[in-house]
Amino acid sequence: VQLVESGGGLVQPGGSLKLSCRASGFPFSTWVMTWARQAPGKGFEWVASMGRGVGDEVYSGSVKGRFTISRDNAENMVYLQMDNLKPEDTAVYFCLRGGFMSGTTERTSNWGQGTQVTVSS
């Protein structure tokens, strides 16, 4: 399993970023894919998950209405479009194969290495 995130960076409050995750080494289209994040000094937080296709997305309350998860099963890619970003969205964002277990304290082999998103003026 390999998950490689990209697209992070520095953005001003109210701005947008689109994160990408390239997956390989497993039958991508059959798996739920998830984005999680870790803010400085805090634990891991679930952001969004998506099943096999359109209409099967769920979001945490903190990002619902601002973030959009999507996937391209032909390209083995999962995306996170982040709009109206806030300083509290500053975190390392991780791509996960499968779901997110509440209370998780460490990454597993089902996680990517993460990409930093910083929201600041």
Side-chain angles (χ1 to χ4, degrees):
V1 175
Q2 188 170 21
L3 300 165
V4 180
E5 302 95 336
S6 61
L10 173 64
V11 63
Q12 292 186 340
S16 298
L17 278 176
K18 186 174 184 178
L19 306 183
S20 300
C21 172
R22 180 172 298 279
S24 61
F26 64 97
F28 177 79
S29 65
T30 67
W31 280 82
V32 168
M33 296 299 295
T34 292
W35 287 96
R37 66 187 181 185
Q38 186 175 33
K42 296 188 177 180
F44 293 111
E45 176 190 9
W46 170 68
V47 174
S49 297
M50 184 171 186
R52 299 181 184 184
V54 175
D56 195 14
E57 308 91 7
V58 287
Y59 298 93
S60 71
S62 60
V63 308
K64 192 172 184 179
R66 300 188 298 121
F67 290 12
T68 303
I69 188 172
S70 62
R71 66 191 295 164
D72 183 339
N73 288 334
E75 297 293 332
N76 286 8
M77 296 289 294
V78 60
Y79 304 99
L80 187 69
Q81 175 68 44
M82 306 185 295
D83 298 318
N84 191 20
L85 282 160
K86 304 176 181 181
E88 52 263 42
D89 295 318
T90 294
V92 178
Y93 283 73
F94 299 93
C95 174
L96 281 64
R97 182 182 74 160
F100 177 85
M101 293 186 65
S102 180
T104 293
T105 59
E106 59 184 17
R107 294 185 289 115
T108 72
S109 58
N110 288 319
W111 291 54
Q113 293 298 309
T115 185
Q116 176 71 47
V117 172
T118 302
V119 185
S120 175
S121 55

